[in-house]
Amino acid sequence: MIRQVLVLALVAAYATTCSMGFVVPSLPVTAVTTSRRNMVVMKVEGARMPIKRGSMVALVTPMKPDGAVDEGQLRTLLQWHVACQTDGVVVLGTTGEASTLSFEERARVLDITAEEIKGKIPIVVGTGTIDPRTVVKLTQQAVNHGADASLVVTPYYVKPTQKGLVSHFGYVAEAVDLPCLLYNVPGRTGSDIKPETAAEVAAKNPSVIGIKEATGDVSRVAAIRKVAGNKFLLYSGDDETGAEFVLKGGDGVISVTSNVVPDVMHQLMMAALAKDAALTEQLNKPLELLHQRLFLQSNPIPAKWALYRMGKIGAGIRPPMTVMEEEFHKPLEEALKAAGAI
């Protein structure tokens, strides 16, 4: 009972500190989670897993018709990825509709993820937003609920300078003890992390271990390798060019396609990492339509509809996203059939 009171006091102190805008000190790897029913604080033990090379899924968040998170289907998806040898699971990213989930809903998704796959597959949590103080709060939450690493996107809409990006990522890295992957997706954010900037952030902050490069520009592999070195992890965020990205020296892909064909995506990345160009081409060819057509409308609209069509999840999605429009059903079904998903 005394331990529970002490832990609750620490959690309350942390919340107060965040609300005042102070930098939060790092907490131990041991996670703290809270039961929704009785508010009893429990410890969830588990060492952090190193982030793997290969196929990491940018996981959708299954939802019921009313928009509530479908916890049962989330568990089923996570179990499926374990069986399919997915190399990492990224929850609460763009594909996971994190921007419309509350802090409490995020905690519940993290708890379920840890319960199902902690120690089996590395857990990477999307924690990026505009205000670095909020990024610290979300990243500390990820630590508390068993994350192995965070994925932090550039501040979107506000278009910070390269110096501003160095400051932003450094602020978060100093405040929270958790390995971090930078996330560069200028098509969505309006901000591009230059290779030299990524290298500078990593040099100043040892916890920054890699980057998700979603520019679709495979020449970035050589450019980043030149300034950041071979230990800095490079993941493509573009399925259409992901195989080529890895053949040219990347470490893997953080994939939307892996939601639909996780087993094949794992095999594809293993072939590309082995520099087996012929096998990579053989495995990737049936997926080419799928890579493209999972973006017929804004992500994750097509990915969620594809999983619905496969019988994996319901059709639920949160506003401002909507269920995929009927005119796109047949083209996506064609891609699913070509990939062997239906």
Side-chain angles (χ1 to χ4, degrees), residues 144-322:
N144 294 347
H145 292 265
D148 296 303
S150 63
L151 178 69
V152 181
V153 72
T154 57
Y156 39 85
Y157 186 71
V158 295
K159 298 184 179 180
T161 63
Q162 296 300 299
K163 184 178 179 180
L165 292 174
V166 172
S167 174
H168 179 82
F169 292 120
Y171 181 94
V172 177
E174 283 188 24
V176 189
D177 178 20
L178 186 67
C180 172
L181 296 172
L182 310 179
Y183 181 14
N184 191 33
V185 56
R188 280 184 177 269
T189 64
S191 177
D192 184 7
I193 308 173
K194 301 301 183 183
E196 296 77 13
T197 302
E200 182 179 351
V201 172
K204 291 180 175 178
N205 305 281
S207 62
V208 175
I209 60 172
I211 188 169
K212 176 184 177 181
E213 253 294 334
T215 58
D217 179 3
V218 296
S219 71
R220 285 287 177 105
V221 177
I224 297 172
R225 281 275 179 255
K226 182 178 180 180
V227 292
N230 292 327
K231 292 184 179 180
F232 191 68
L233 295 169
L234 304 182
Y235 294 93
S236 170
D238 178 62
D239 279 303
E240 196 168 353
T241 58
E244 184 183 358
F245 184 96
V246 176
L247 285 171
K248 288 185 177 295
D251 293 295
V253 63
I254 296 178
S255 168
V256 175
T257 302
S258 188
N259 279 285
V260 178
V261 283
D263 51 350
V264 182
M265 284 301 298
H266 168 73
Q267 295 166 20
L268 174 62
M269 287 297 104
M270 293 303 103
L273 286 167
K275 300 296 184 279
D276 188 335
L279 181 56
T280 298
E281 171 65 18
Q282 178 185 331
L283 290 167
N284 195 51
K285 191 68 177 176
L287 305 183
E288 288 178 349
L289 270 183
L290 189 60
H291 294 327
Q292 297 167 11
R293 293 183 182 178
L294 283 173
F295 293 89
L296 284 168
Q297 292 194 289
S298 298
N299 182 45
I301 291 172
K304 295 194 88 170
W305 188 87
L307 286 168
Y308 166 72
R309 176 65 177 79
M310 294 165 65
K312 296 288 186 183
I313 65 172
I317 194 166
R318 282 195 182 178
M321 295 298 175
T322 56

Side-chain angles (χ1 to χ4, degrees), residues 112-128:
I112 291 170
T113 302
E115 288 165 12
E116 294 297 334
I117 67 172
K118 182 67 176 172
K120 300 175 183 177
I121 304 177
I123 300 169
V124 181
V125 181
T127 62

Side-chain angles (χ1 to χ4, degrees), residues 21-42:
F22 297 145
V23 176
V24 184
S26 61
L27 296 179
V29 173
T30 301
V32 177
T33 58
T34 306
S35 165
R36 292 176 302 160
R37 293 181 60 188
N38 53 21
M39 298 303 287
V40 173
V41 176
M42 301 173 290

